[in-house]
Each structure stands twice: as structure tokens, then as C-alpha cells.
Amino acid sequence: MAATRLIALHKNKGKSVAACLKSRTDYAQNPDKTNKGELVSSYECSPLTADEEFMLSKRQYELMTGRRQKSDVIAYQIRQSFKPGEITAEEANKVGYELAMRFTKGKYAFIVATHTDREHIHNHINYNSTALDSTRKFRDFLLSGLAVQRLSDLICLEHQLSVIEKKPYRERQKRTLYPPKESNRDKLCSVIDGILLNEKPASFEGFLQKLEQQGYEIKRGKYTSVKGTRQKRFIRFRTLGAGYSEDEIKAVLEGKAKHQPYQKQPPKEQPFHLLVDIQAKLSEGKGEGYARWAKHYNLKEMSKTLIFLQENKIGSIEEMQERMDASTARYHELGDSIKASEKRLAEIAVLKAHIINYAKTRPVYDAYRKTGYSKRFLETHRTEITLHKAAKAAFDEANLKMLPKVKELDAEYSKLLTEKKARYPDYRKAKEEMQELLRAKRNVEMFFAEEKSIAEKMKSR
């Protein structure tokens, strides 16, 4: 089985035709992809000088016809990808050569490079846009890509290879699941897992060196952080989650703990979605086909809504309203508590900064007072005096007769931060419950409103 694609190779802006041809042929003949050049074949040209021979035929075309190339198509490429495990690289190169010969009818020079760097073996067939006799150019005709696919299928059948079965559009399997995109943090966690489980460095410094070998930049300091090649910001180990902080990694390296690889939790799916307002959509210009789909969709979502209400033992509109009011009150209560903690944390941080500045600048301010508030002394120590006055004004505004100790503020800050973090799981749970009940209420109201309108229409008839 082989999938094909016909691609017109264009001239890049700022580059000559010769430079573009060289870059395309060099990529196709990459030794790392073609088993050091052994999987490269050609017709009426040498693989080593294919770009120069393509250019020579183009110059001869201009001399013989007197016409210059108007379009920026310099060559064509056929990509032919085979089913993994069905064909060897050598046979794939022969199949690609036969496809190129039969499609171009031997009138255009080409090279066939078979790549083995992926799970599926595939061919890069580059053929010149100018014919060998330099009298004509290849014209990309209508449905030429389909012609290449059919010719490739015919050649695959001749070589006893499978072909792609053609299915009607309605029978084709639609893609519903998409692979999740891996974030920079997920990549870093997988790299750390590999180093700790497979390489097992002797020390934390050796662990950092292994990360540097993987292409990560290390920033040492109070909190060690790393940055990948295409990342904009550094990532601290302690922000990666349980098992990835510096202390936990050091404990694993010292043999005091066992490392558990990172497992990303799939996103939680909603048990049901909102119903579609069919009449509103029809007024926007949707057709009868959309209305039929929306009715089917609404029935499925309404059945899911009823299952949700049964699981939560909600049997009436009144019960659902009571549960929704309770969850809303719980959500706002937790939210207000978190906001109050955040406000107090900000106040502590500002107060702590003022206390430290007040203590540091007090000798300078005392000297300033002893000079009789000298303007020359003020100009010399303006920063320190300004900080001292700002701190004193903040204390007066807060009506502080006695300044708290920094250690007490640190203890209060740590306690508030711990309590705030502990409230977040309950806050998220209350938010999800409130949103689910709101969706359920809206679905029930919309469903009965639609049923009522249908009944009224039937009576009017």
C-alpha cells in the first residue's frame, strides 16, 4: 500500500534557481536518510550533479525556444509512502523508479531517493520541469495527483503489494480523537524520568550535566531552573509537581527514595453539554439539515442530562434549584475566602518590605534630623530618606503603634498560603458542580419550553 502526493517545487524568494535545485536535491539525497546514499537511483542524470544537469537543460530550453521561464516552478516531486513492514527499502526504490519512469514516459530526468528515517519507508522522486530534449516543459494538468495515485496503485498490485481501498464518503472513519499536544513541562518530565531511571547519575550535579547534554540550559541559584532550546522561559524543578523538586530528585539520587514517572491525567470530559436553540439557529439562516442534526443532538444531550439528575438524586425543579443555590453559595464563599487570603498576603508582603526599609534607612534619617533637615544632605541621601518616609506613612495609615516582627509576619504568610492552597481543590469542585447544575437547569427549561411550543402549534392546527 502506498500513498502518493504530487508537489510543484517553487523558487524561493531571494535565491537563485540553481541554489533552490541544489537544496531540494541535497535534502532528498541526505546520507542519514538514504543509508549513506545507497538508496538513491537516477535516470538520465547523475545523483551527484542532478541539480547542475537540471539547470543545463533549462539553459538549453531558453536557447532553443527563445522563451524564458515565466512561472517559478523549477521541478516536481512525488512523495510515495509505503505501509510499515510491507516492503524493503531496496524494493521501494525500484517501485519508485518504475513510477517515475512510467509517469514521465522517460522524457524527463529524475532521481529517486528512498528515506528510512521514519517508521514508514517513503520515496522522494524529484524530476525536472524541463524535458530532456529541451523543447518543452512539464505541465501540471487537472487531477494529475489522482493520476499519480492510480498509477502507483497499479504498480503496487503488479509487485503484489496492497493498495488503499476506496470507500464512499459516508463509510469513511471520521477522526474523533486527536493526540494531545505535549507541553514543555511534559517533555522535561519525560527527560528527567529517562535520566533517573536509565542513566542514574551519581550526584545532582551529574544529573544537571545530563540535562545539558539533552540540550537544556541550566540556571543555578536559590531555585535551580532549566530551559529547552525553543523555550522562552526557564522552568523551576519545584513547579513540575510531586516527585520533581530538587530535594526529591536528590533523595532519589542518594537512594533514599524511589522515583515515580510522571503520568499526565487526561482532561475531564463534561457529562453533558448545552442544548442547541434550534429556532434561533434557523433564524440565523441554518437549513433543515442542520435542524435535523440539532434535534438528534438535543435528544442525546437531554438523555445524558436526565442520567446526571438521576445519579445526583434530583427529582424535581425545586430540588435542582435548592442544590444549585447551595453550590453557588459554597462557590462564592470559597472564592471570597481565597480572595481575602490573597489580600492579606499582599498586605503582609508590603508591610514586610516597609519594615525592612524602615530599619535599613533609620540611621540615615536620624542623621538627616541631626543636620536640621539639610537640603544638601537630602540631595545626597534622597533614596534612603524617601523610603523611610514612605514606610512611616504606611505605618501611620495602618494605625500601627507597635511594629510586628518580621518572623511573625513570615509565619502568618506561610500559614495563609498553606490554607489558600488547601482551599483550591474544594473551590474547583464547587465550581464544576455549580456549572453542571446550571447547564442541567438550562437544558431542562429549554427542553420543556420547546415541548410546550410544539404542543401549542398542534392545538392551533
Side-chain angles (χ1 to χ4, degrees), residues 301-338:
E301 295 303 320
M302 194 60 205
S303 63
K304 292 179 183 178
T305 305
L306 292 175
I307 292 171
F308 169 78
L309 295 175
Q310 290 175 356
E311 289 176 349
N312 288 272
K313 298 178 181 180
I314 300 174
S316 65
I317 296 292
E318 291 76 14
E319 290 180 8
M320 182 166 57
Q321 186 65 44
E322 290 177 3
R323 291 278 294 274
M324 191 178 69
D325 292 341
S327 65
T328 304
R330 176 65 175 163
Y331 166 72
H332 289 301
E333 179 187 351
L334 289 169
D336 294 340
S337 176
I338 291 172

Side-chain angles (χ1 to χ4, degrees), residues 439-450:
R439 286 200 305 271
K441 182 185 176 185
R442 187 176 182 276
N443 283 356
V444 170
E445 290 174 349
M446 185 180 293
F447 181 78
F448 283 113
E450 187 176 351

